[in-house]
Every structure is written in structure tokens, then in C-alpha cells.
Amino acid sequence: MINSVITNTETASFNADKLLTNSVKTWFITAVLGQWIFAAYVGLFYGGATLNGDISQWNQVMPHGYVEGDFIGNLAVGVHLLLAFIVLVAGPLQFIPQIRNKAPAFHRGLGRIYITTAFILSIGGLFMVWTRGVVGSDIGKYSISINAILIMAFASLAVYYAIKRKIKVHRRWAIRLFLVMGGVWFFRVGLMLWLMIHQAPVGFDPKTFTGPFLTFLNFAQYCLPLAFAQLYFYAQDSNNTKVKTLTSITIIILTLATLGGVIAASMGMWLPRF
């Protein structure tokens, strides 16, 4: 009888762990595919305009992306876009266990590139928003600035714990870094999901690009992913099967929302410009 109870408990725990792992993997695959579509858009639209010698086309999507006569500023934007493309494509490779385990040297080398790029992107992003401004209200400046600070802080912590060989802690800070690095992507996915649900610009003025929903989204683009990550870490460490199961269900719902936002953003913003 006792052995039967122990066996059933172990089975339930195993199933809960498996469900949690599979739900996170499904979200990760969904997010990576969405980020790679975004990367393709960045490469084809901005890269194509640059190769065609008409970088003024940047302004079709990014107001003040190109400013005539401002060589340093235009160069900073161009480098920022190039590095963003590299991060979107290469960043997710750091979290694939097969690559990490079978090619550790590649993992470490790519990690160094990823961390370096994170710092350059953050500094470049701060330069861009405080010299060229943002669309909408100044809330965007503060939001992006906080995002940049978080990126540099999380990158530093990921490196610190890697050096200390505290791999579990290192990986968690690396996951947090991946999430805040995707802030721009999360903003677009969240915005397009909202528009798809409401079929109208509810909570903001599309002409001025201001309003309570955009104020919320400016900070939610990295606060919400970090909150869900923390929930996942808590469930991962917990021995409570109910906590693991409820967290898995939450992540599945989040995956469906992410998929909806990716489809909406792809159809409404990215694919039309390929």
C-alpha cells in the first residue's frame, strides 16, 4: 500500500515536470520562430534599403531613423539594426541543449558575442532615443532606458555566474537577458495581439501613438516576460505538482497569446514588407 502511494506520487511528479518542460519548450519554439520572422523583416527591409543606397526608406517605419547630414547618427542606427539582426538570429541558439552540450566551445564563443552585442545595443539604444526621440510620448524614452539598463545588468550577472561556475544561476540570468533583449519584439507582438482582439486602436490614439494602453505596454514588454520567467523558476524548484501543473497551463495560455501576436504582427507589419 505504501509502495503504491509512493509510486503514484512519483508518477504524478514526473508527469508534472514533463508537462512544465514541454510547455516551456513549446513557448520557446513559438517565440523563436516569431523572432526569426522579425529578423527576416529587419534584414530584408532595412538591409535592402541600405544595399539599394536609399537609407531614407528607413523613415517609412522608423521616424527619424535617417537624418540627412547626420553621418554619426545614421551610422549608429545602421549598426544598431545590424546587431539587432544578429541577436535575433543567433541568440536563441544559446538555449538549445544539443548545441550547448555537443559544441561547448561554440556555445561559449557565441555567448561572448551575444554579451558584447547586448552592451553595444544598449548603449546605442540609449544614444538613439535621447538624441532622436521616440514615437509618441516621452514615456518611451524612460521605458527603453530602463530596458537598456536591465540588459546590461543581466548580461553582467550572466557572465559573473558563468565565471563562478554556478551554471544553474548563470542560465537563469541568461534567460532573463534573452527576455529583456526581446523587448522591442514583445512590444510589437503585444500591440498587434491587442489590435487583433479589439479590431480597433482601443486605449490609445494611433495618430499621436499615445494613450494608457501604450504606457502600460512600454513597461509590460519586459516586466511581464520577467514575471512569467520568475513563475517558471518557482515552479521548477517546487515539489508541489499543483504548482507545476498550474504554471504549465499558464505558459500554454501564454504560448497561444504569443502565437496570436506573432501571426498578427507577421501579417500586419512584417510580411507585407518582404
Side-chain angles (χ1 to χ4, degrees):
M1 181 67 177
I2 295 177
N3 289 336
S4 177
V5 171
I6 293 174
T7 300
N8 290 337
T9 301
E10 290 176 344
T11 300
S13 179
F14 173 78
N15 290 337
D17 283 332
K18 189 174 181 180
L19 179 62
L20 182 64
T21 299
N22 288 337
S23 64
V24 169
K25 284 183 178 178
T26 304
W27 177 85
F28 178 72
I29 292 170
T30 303
V32 170
L33 290 176
Q35 290 192 4
W36 282 353
I37 294 172
F38 183 43
Y41 153 74
V42 171
L44 291 173
F45 178 74
Y46 292 102
T50 303
L51 292 175
N52 290 333
D54 186 13
I55 60 177
S56 62
Q57 291 182 27
W58 294 355
N59 292 337
Q60 293 179 19
V61 179
M62 183 190 300
H64 312 300
Y66 168 76
V67 176
E68 187 174 356
D70 184 7
F71 175 77
I72 298 299
N74 295 332
L75 179 63
V77 174
V79 171
H80 188 82
L81 290 168
L82 175 61
L83 293 179
F85 174 81
I86 293 173
V87 163
L88 287 167
V89 173
L93 301 179
Q94 287 294 91
F95 301 95
I96 299 176
Q98 291 81 354
I99 294 177
R100 187 172 63 240
N101 297 331
K102 295 182 179 180
F106 174 79
H107 174 75
R108 289 192 295 269
L110 185 60
R112 294 186 181 98
I113 294 172
Y114 190 70
I115 295 295
T116 303
T117 303
F119 275 95
I120 297 174
L121 279 172
S122 299
I123 294 170
L126 287 170
F127 172 80
M128 288 166 55
V129 299
W130 289 101
T131 60
R132 296 194 171 186
V134 295
V135 178
S137 69
D138 284 345
I139 290 294
K141 289 183 180 180
Y142 304 119
S143 168
I144 293 172
S145 297
I146 293 172
N147 196 6
I149 293 169
L150 289 176
I151 288 172
M152 291 186 284
F154 293 173
S156 300
L157 287 165
V159 170
Y160 174 80
Y161 285 109
I163 293 173
K164 292 291 185 178
R165 304 303 298 167
K166 295 184 178 180
I167 302 304
K168 181 179 178 179
V169 182
H170 157 72
R171 287 176 181 169
R172 290 190 172 184
W173 283 112
I175 288 171
R176 293 185 181 103
L177 173 61
F178 170 74
L179 294 174
V180 293
M181 286 281 278
V184 170
W185 180 80
F186 281 116
F187 184 94
R188 284 156 176 75
V189 169
L191 175 62
M192 296 308 292
L193 176 65
W194 181 262
L195 290 172
M196 182 179 71
I197 292 171
H198 293 281
Q199 294 296 303
V202 175
F204 70 96
D205 183 347
K207 293 182 179 179
T208 62
F209 209 62
T210 58
F213 173 70
L214 292 180
T215 299
F216 163 79
L217 190 58
N218 266 302
F219 297 99
Q221 62 182 311
Y222 45 84
C223 289
L224 284 183
L226 289 174
F228 281 116
Q230 197 60 40
L231 175 63
Y232 166 64
F233 297 151
Y234 173 74
Q236 197 176 39
D237 293 337
S238 175
N239 294 320
N240 190 320
T241 57
K242 290 183 179 180
V243 170
K244 292 180 183 291
T245 301
L246 288 174
T247 301
S248 299
I249 293 171
T250 301
I251 294 174
I252 290 170
I253 295 172
L254 177 63
T255 300
L256 293 174
T258 302
L259 178 60
V262 167
I263 292 173
S266 298
M267 301 304 294
M269 298 174 63
W270 303 331
L271 295 181
R273 296 185 181 277
F274 276 20

